[in-house]
């Protein structure tokens, strides 16, 4: 009997997988389970190592390697010991050369095949299918992986979860790595964004396994009734005008039910008959997806049964239907979809929603025109008018055939006419054949009287068969034409959607594709404002100024119209154009939203610059002015005689303060022009050492420790703005960072350079960090009011003006770290090459 596998899955190292596994081991041991430790990696974590006390450990196997001996799990020893349960840590581990298997998960497979239960651990980044995603998130590709199927086959998967902030605190306290590794880990792999993304991957992966397990269990047990593990609202759409009302009502039901799923379904008839407006269904699908739901289309000959089957397959708890649009007399054909679904729904709740179109009738769908060309219809009519008389003449000359044979000849003529000219010419040929047979070949001849009942029945059957065959032939031609048009429309829609997705500006691409597809000279998207029309976008030679100037117009809402010029399109083409018009209107809305978002970003940027400007004027200008005033006042004092050295020192102070004031005023003037959009920051690639040294010129050397690698790429920034921003941050750190020197370090991550200024001061609680960069505050690292000093407000305003970012983090071991994120020159060059 195969053993059972339990896996503790975590989002990142340090969340507590091994600890949880060992804790379970002690609980099993207390219950009398025969359990051994096959391999456990403690990483020198004291609390984890303490849990190994009292557990039997199978001795490891030592293998000689070139750089020293290595220990690996001894599979043979565990098989010989044959415990009930074996603990095997690090499922994705790659064994050292010379081991029994290349991968540890293969060792685990051997133990399971031997009937030994295994408890193991693995991180989500080691799953084979997620390695590319993990590399994009963290910049590090996992070297060790385990096939997803191995983990999926586990009998139990236990998620070990921990919030990113909690994990970073564990790391900072030295509970995961050694102290010398903590700074690098926090700045690189264990950043909050990385941990949050990895946590989401783990949660979603486990959630998918839970859904799979539930579906598998229901299939195995043959369970068809709904299990209300989660509310799922299914709204049935017919393609009629009431669909929007039903969707919104279903969305409100889902909202009241909490985190319920909204699912829309349209049941198309199996015979392919069009029973809903494609334009309405396209609009309703967009509405459903905009409300966070999903849209599905299924095919079924029995609409109520298909709807019930779909709802049960989706494990739906509620179905939303609209009141029937059928008139009263139409109920003689049956109770209707709503009543049938309500009667057969079982434990699924059914909501019948009233709407404005209830009971007003569906209307009769006009029969589509025949698909035959004009030449074939003309030939069919000629054959219907000339064929029966010509056949009558031939049969009258010969005179040797009986009535049955003559009926078959006329039936052949009717079928031939149906194949050539369609339904109505064939009916005319059948009626003409009936009359000619009766007059010339049915006794008594040359009269419309039929002497024998058998002959009368034969003539009637002839007419019925001729009409039936003609109807079937014509219907087949119509269905073929509908299928061909549906294929053409689907191909066109797919081509249009692909072109929109490929293009950077969706609206012009869409209009140009419509123009090319339908062979038009121009396509314009017009919008009405009062009595005036404005062309929002166009493709072709000259746009239409008003809908009246176009050959074809298609409405896309109350104020938007798609105007087409070049030729008059048939009604069949206008149907698909309606979907294009709504898509064009949606693209126009997306473009406006993008413009509004850009304007909002510009206003927010101006507000940030204004904040930095006011902060600098009220704080940083005051210090050099005070120094100049004090020095000048001292020199001009008649009561003091200064010796040459003191006088020179005062003059140097005046000169230094004036230079600092000149630089600051120049930067502030540049920022004021930035606020009005007159100029842009003078950003260009600059080496960090060209900025750091001038920024720290006024800071004593023993108070700052610089650890910046020489091989870092240049950053794209305005040197003056970056210098001022860095100077403010360092001065703040020196002023409030305690007796230890402030550390200035830098590293590169994903095309960005992170410049970190770390102090060992009292630090700032997480709740106070958002207030640190508020202007007009005079506080240090400790939050004694509503924020931290103005220097940080100026620093963040300057950093964001040059396209960077400034944020605050805890220093491992205590203190505050300010982190500048700046784009590199390498990233800028790559962007230019792609452009």
């Amino acid at each position: 009997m195969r053993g059972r596998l339990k896996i503790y899955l975590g989002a990142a190292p340090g969340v507590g997988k091994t600890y949880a596994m060992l804790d379970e081991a002690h609980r099993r041991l207390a219950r009398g389970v025969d359990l051994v430790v096959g391999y456990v990696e403690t990483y020198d974590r004291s609390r984890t190592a303490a849990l190994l006390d009292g557990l039997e450990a199978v001795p490891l196997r030592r293998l000689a390697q070139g750089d020293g001996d290595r220990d690996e799990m001894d599979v043979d020893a565990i098989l010989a010991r044959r415990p009930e349960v074996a603990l095997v840590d690090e499922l994705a581990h790659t064994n050292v050369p010379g081991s029994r298997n290349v991968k540890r998960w293969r060792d685990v497979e051997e133990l399971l095949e031997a009937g030994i239960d295994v408890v193991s651990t693995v991180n989500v980044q080691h799953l084979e299918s997620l390695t590319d995603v993990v590399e994009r998130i963290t910049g590090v590709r996992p070297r060790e992986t385990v096939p997803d199927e191995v983990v999926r086959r586990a009998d139990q998967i236990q998620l070990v979860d921990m919030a990113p902030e909690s994990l970073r605190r564990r790391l900072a306290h030295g509970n995961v790595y050694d102290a010398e590794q903590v700074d690098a880990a926090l700045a690189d792999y264990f950043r909050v964004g990385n941990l949050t993304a990895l946590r989401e991957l783990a949660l979603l992966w486990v959630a998918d396994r839970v859904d799979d397990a539930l579906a598998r269990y229901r299939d195995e047990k043959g369970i068809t009734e709904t299990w209300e593990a989660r509310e799922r609202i299914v709204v049935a759409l017919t393609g009629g005008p009431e669909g929007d009302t039903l969707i919104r009502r279903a969305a409100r039901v889902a909202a009241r039910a909490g985190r319920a799923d909204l699912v829309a379904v349209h049941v198309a008839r199996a015979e392919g008959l069009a029973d809903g407006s494609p334009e309405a269904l396209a609009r309703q699908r967009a509405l459903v997806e905009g409300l966070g739901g999903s849209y599905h289309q299924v095919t079924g000959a029995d609409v109520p049964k298909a709807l019930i089957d779909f709802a049960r397959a989706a494990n739906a708890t509620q179905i939303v239907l609209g009141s029937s649009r059928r008139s009263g007399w139409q109920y003689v054909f049956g109770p209707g979809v709503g009543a049938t679904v309500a009667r057969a729904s079982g434990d699924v709740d059914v909501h019948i929603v009233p709407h404005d179109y209830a009971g007003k009738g569906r209307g009769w769908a006009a029969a589509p025109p025949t698909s035959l060309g004009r030449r074939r219809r003309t030939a069919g009519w000629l054959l219907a008018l000339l064929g029966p008389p010509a056949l009558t003449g031939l049969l009258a000359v010969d005179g040797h055939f009986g009535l049955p044979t003559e009926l078959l000849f006329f039936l052949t003529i009717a079928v031939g006419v149906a194949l050539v000219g369609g339904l109505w010419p064939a009916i005319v040929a059948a009626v003409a054949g009936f009359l000619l047979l009766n007059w010339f070949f049915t006794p008594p001849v040359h009269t419309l009287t039929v002497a024998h009942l058998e002959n009368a029945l034969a003539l009637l059957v002839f007419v019925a068969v001729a009409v039936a065959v003609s109807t079937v032939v014509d219907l087949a031609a119509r269905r073929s034409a509908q299928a061909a048009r549906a294929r053409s429309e689907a191909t066109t829609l797919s081509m249009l959607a692909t072109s929109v997705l490929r293009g950077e500006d969706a609206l012009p691409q869409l209009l140009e594709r419509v123009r090319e597809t339908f062979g038009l000279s121009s396509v314009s998207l017009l919008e009405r404002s009062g009595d005036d029309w404005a062309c929002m976008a166009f493709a072709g030679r000259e746009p239409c100024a008003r809908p009246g100037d176009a050959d074809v117009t298609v409405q896309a809402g109350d104020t938007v119209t798609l105007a087409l010029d070049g030729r008059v399109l048939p009604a069949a083409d206008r149907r698909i154009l309606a979907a294009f018009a709504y898509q064009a209107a949606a693209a126009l809305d997306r473009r406006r939203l993008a413009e509004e978002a850009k304007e909002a970003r510009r206003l927010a940027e101006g507000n940030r610059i204004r904040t930095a400007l006011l902060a600098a004027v009220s704080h940083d200008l005051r210090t050099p002015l005070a120094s100049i005033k004090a020095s000048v006042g001292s020199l001009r004092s008649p009561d003091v005689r200064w010796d040459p050295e003191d006088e020179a020192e005062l003059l140097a102070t005046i000169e230094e303060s004036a230079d600092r004031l000149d630089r600051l005023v120049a930067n502030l003037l540049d920022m004021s022009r930035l606020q009005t959009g007159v100029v842009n920051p003078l950003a260009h690639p600059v080496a960090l050492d060209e900025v750091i040294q001038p920024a720290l010129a006024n800071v004593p050397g023993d108070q700052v420790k610089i650890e910046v690698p020489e091989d870092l790429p240049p950053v794209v920034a305005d040197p003056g703005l970056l210098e001022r921003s860095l100077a403010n941050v360092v001065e703040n750190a020196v002023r409030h960072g305690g007796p230890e020197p402030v550390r200035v370090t830098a590293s590169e991550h994903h095309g960005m350079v992170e410049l970190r200024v770390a102090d060992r001061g009292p630090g700032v609680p997480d709740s106070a960090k958002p207030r640190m960069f508020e202007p007009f505050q005079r506080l240090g690292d400790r939050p004694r009011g509503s924020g931290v000093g103005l220097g940080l407000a100026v620093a963040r305003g300057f950093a964001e003006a040059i396209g960077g970012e400034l944020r605050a983090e805890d220093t491992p071991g205590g203190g505050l770290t300010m982190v500048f994120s700046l784009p590199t020159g390498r990233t800028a060059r790559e962007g230019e090459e792609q452009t």
Side-chain angles (χ1 to χ4, degrees):
M1 180 178 177
R2 181 180 171 89
R4 296 174 61 83
L5 174 62
K6 180 174 182 177
I7 294 177
Y8 282 94
L9 177 72
V15 297
K17 303 180 301 299
T18 304
Y19 189 95
M21 179 180 69
L22 294 174
D23 186 57
E24 179 183 342
H26 281 281
R27 294 196 302 272
R28 292 196 181 201
L29 198 63
R31 296 196 300 266
V33 177
D34 182 16
L35 180 146
V36 300
V37 175
Y39 187 93
V40 168
E41 182 60 72
T42 65
Y43 294 102
D44 296 327
R45 299 167 190 165
S46 58
R47 295 182 61 190
T48 304
L51 286 176
L52 287 173
D53 294 340
L55 299 178
E56 178 186 350
V58 175
L60 301 177
R61 181 185 179 190
R62 176 150 293 189
L63 298 172
Q65 301 297 311
D67 55 350
D69 295 343
R70 303 280 185 88
D71 291 332
E72 283 291 357
M73 183 174 69
D74 194 336
V75 180
D76 292 328
I78 298 176
L79 292 174
R81 169 67 174 74
R82 294 198 65 81
E84 293 181 57
V85 180
L87 306 184
V88 181
D89 206 4
E90 302 288 354
L91 184 63
H93 172 72
T94 301
N95 296 329
V96 299
S99 300
R100 182 187 186 93
N101 295 299
V102 176
K103 302 288 291 187
R104 184 166 291 167
W105 64 266
R106 293 191 178 276
D107 295 340
V108 169
E109 284 292 320
E110 287 197 35
L111 299 180
L112 295 172
E113 290 296 332
I116 300 173
D117 293 348
V118 176
V119 182
S120 187
T121 66
V122 70
N123 285 327
V124 70
Q125 66 263 30
H126 296 303
L127 295 175
E128 181 66 42
S129 65
L130 299 178
T131 53
D132 293 340
V133 179
V134 172
E135 184 178 15
R136 288 195 297 270
I137 293 172
T138 65
V140 179
R141 188 174 186 86
R143 291 175 297 176
E144 297 179 327
T145 61
V146 59
D148 290 43
E149 187 59 31
V150 174
V151 183
R152 286 196 186 98
R153 288 201 307 264
D155 300 278
Q156 287 183 265
I157 300 177
Q158 180 71 45
L159 177 66
V160 182
D161 187 34
M162 180 175 288
E165 295 78 7
S166 300
L167 180 55
R168 284 172 60 85
R169 280 196 294 271
R170 290 195 65 199
L171 196 71
H173 295 159
N175 295 332
V176 180
Y177 294 138
D178 295 334
E180 58 271 12
Q181 299 176 288
V182 170
D183 285 351
L186 286 173
D188 189 8
Y189 193 88
F190 285 83
R191 289 184 289 176
V192 173
N194 291 358
L195 296 177
T196 302
L198 292 174
R199 185 188 189 195
E200 183 178 13
L201 283 178
L203 291 170
L204 291 176
W205 199 90
V206 172
D208 288 343
R209 303 290 77 74
V210 171
D211 282 344
D212 291 345
L214 179 60
R216 184 168 57 251
Y217 179 82
R218 287 167 55 86
D219 290 342
E220 291 174 356
K221 302 300 182 180
I223 299 172
T224 58
E225 64 269 17
T226 300
W227 282 10
E228 299 181 7
R230 179 191 299 178
E231 288 286 339
R232 286 187 172 89
I233 317 298
V234 171
V235 53
L237 302 177
T238 64
E242 77 282 0
D244 296 22
T245 302
L246 300 183
I247 293 170
R248 294 188 175 94
R249 176 64 64 86
R252 291 196 295 272
V253 173
R256 288 195 295 268
R259 296 176 60 87
D261 295 336
L262 176 62
V263 182
V265 61
H266 171 67
V267 180
R269 299 186 185 277
E271 64 269 21
L273 292 173
D275 55 352
S277 167
E279 299 86 356
L281 288 173
R283 184 183 68 254
Q284 291 162 11
R285 176 173 188 164
L287 177 59
V288 169
E289 294 174 349
L291 293 172
S294 59
Y295 176 88
H296 304 267
Q297 181 163 316
V298 297
T299 302
D302 187 343
V303 174
K305 182 178 185 302
L307 181 58
I308 290 291
D309 291 344
F310 175 85
R312 294 197 182 281
N315 199 24
T317 58
Q318 302 182 54
I319 300 176
V320 176
L321 295 161
S323 298
S324 178
R325 284 186 285 133
R326 296 193 301 174
S327 301
W329 66 269
Q330 291 177 306
Y331 281 96
V332 299
F333 299 106
V337 174
T340 305
V341 170
R343 187 171 55 247
S345 63
D347 54 355
V348 181
D349 297 340
V350 178
H351 303 268
I352 305 296
V353 179
H355 51 83
D356 295 338
Y357 304 93
K360 295 184 177 180
R362 294 178 175 271
W364 295 99
T370 180
S371 61
L372 302 176
R374 179 177 298 177
R375 295 181 60 182
R376 288 189 59 178
R377 293 198 302 271
T378 302
W381 281 110
L382 289 176
L383 184 60
L385 296 175
L386 301 179
L391 178 61
T392 300
L394 292 175
L395 294 176
V397 171
D398 188 277
H400 293 92
F401 298 103
L403 183 61
T405 304
E406 294 163 346
L407 287 172
L408 291 177
F409 279 127
F410 277 94
L411 182 61
T412 303
I413 288 289
V415 172
V417 171
L419 291 173
V420 175
L423 177 62
W424 290 109
I427 292 176
V428 171
V431 173
F434 169 81
L435 295 175
L436 291 174
L437 282 168
N438 191 6
W439 184 271
F440 288 103
F441 303 106
T442 304
V445 295
H446 304 304
T447 67
L448 294 179
T449 303
V450 179
H452 303 288
L453 179 61
E454 180 181 354
N455 292 340
L457 290 176
L459 291 174
L460 292 176
V461 169
F462 160 75
V463 173
V465 170
V467 172
V469 171
S470 301
T471 302
V472 171
V473 171
D474 183 71
L475 184 62
R478 294 181 191 276
R479 294 293 176 264
S480 298
Q482 290 176 356
R485 173 162 290 278
R487 286 195 301 270
S488 175
E489 290 178 354
T491 302
T492 303
L493 285 171
S494 175
M495 180 176 58
L496 284 168
T498 303
S499 65
V500 169
L501 291 175
R502 282 201 306 262
E504 295 182 358
D505 192 350
L507 191 53
Q509 293 285 341
L510 175 63
L511 298 183
E512 179 61 27
R513 185 61 66 182
V514 172
R515 190 190 68 80
E516 293 177 354
T517 301
F518 294 97
L520 303 168
S521 57
S522 70
V523 178
S524 308
L525 188 65
L526 306 178
E527 186 176 37
R528 185 182 72 243
S529 177
D531 295 331
D532 298 328
W533 290 87
C535 181
M536 308 308 298
F538 75 97
R541 56 187 185 192
E542 293 183 3
C544 296
R546 301 180 64 84
D549 300 334
D551 293 321
V552 177
T553 58
V554 182
Q555 290 293 122
D558 296 334
T559 60
V560 179
T561 298
L562 190 66
L564 304 97
D565 189 35
R567 66 187 181 96
V568 178
L569 297 177
D573 288 340
R574 298 190 189 196
R575 185 182 67 175
I576 193 172
L577 276 173
F580 299 158
Y582 279 106
Q583 190 173 6
L588 179 61
D589 291 339
R590 287 195 298 270
R591 188 172 74 178
R592 283 179 172 163
L593 289 174
E595 292 173 352
E596 291 175 2
K598 183 178 179 181
E599 178 65 17
R601 287 194 297 269
R602 189 188 69 80
L603 293 175
E605 183 68 20
N607 187 55
R608 286 194 295 268
I609 294 174
R610 185 185 302 109
T611 299
L613 177 64
L614 292 174
V617 168
S618 64
H619 174 252
D620 293 280
L621 286 178
R622 185 179 303 169
T623 301
L625 285 173
S627 298
I628 293 173
K629 184 176 180 180
S631 299
V632 172
S634 298
L635 289 174
R636 295 186 63 186
S637 175
D639 299 330
V640 181
R641 294 182 62 86
W642 303 97
D643 57 33
E645 293 181 357
D646 292 336
E647 185 176 340
E649 183 178 350
L650 290 172
L651 290 173
T653 300
I654 294 173
E655 183 179 12
E656 179 184 348
S657 298
D659 290 341
R660 180 181 175 186
L661 189 61
D662 179 68
R663 291 194 302 269
L664 180 57
V665 169
N667 286 334
L668 292 176
L669 289 175
D670 284 341
M671 290 192 66
S672 68
R673 289 194 295 269
L674 281 171
Q675 182 183 2
T676 58
V678 177
V679 296
N680 293 318
L682 301 177
H684 58 82
V686 58
L688 280 181
D689 56 0
E690 298 178 11
V691 177
I692 294 176
Q693 295 300 333
L696 306 183
N698 295 328
V699 180
D702 59 345
Q703 296 183 357
V704 179
K705 184 178 180 181
I706 302 175
E707 300 174 358
V708 178
E710 297 181 356
D711 58 350
L712 281 178
V715 298
V716 178
D718 185 309
L721 299 182
L722 179 57
E723 175 187 334
R724 184 60 186 161
S725 183
L726 179 60
N728 283 351
V729 170
V730 174
E731 290 172 4
N732 185 79
V734 170
R735 186 163 54 249
H736 304 286
E740 296 187 28
V742 173
R743 294 180 58 208
V744 179
T745 61
S747 58
E748 182 184 9
H749 303 284
H750 304 298
M752 301 289 287
V753 167
E754 287 192 350
L755 184 63
R756 310 174 75 86
V757 180
D759 65 49
R760 290 291 182 176
V764 175
D766 292 340
S767 60
K769 285 187 175 70
R771 302 195 302 270
M772 291 177 58
F773 300 97
E774 293 181 3
F776 308 112
Q777 306 296 330
R778 294 290 309 210
L779 302 172
D781 283 357
R782 287 173 299 189
R784 295 192 299 265
S786 60
V788 177
L790 286 174
L792 296 182
V794 175
R796 170 170 277 190
F798 285 176
E800 294 181 350
I802 60 177
E805 178 190 2
L806 177 60
R807 64 182 185 275
E809 297 180 354
D810 291 331
T811 301
L816 184 68
T817 298
M818 307 298 294
V819 183
F820 289 89
S821 293
L822 303 167
T824 64
R826 182 183 306 142
T827 306
R829 287 194 300 272
E830 292 175 355
E832 292 173 358
E833 291 174 0
Q834 293 176 359
T835 303

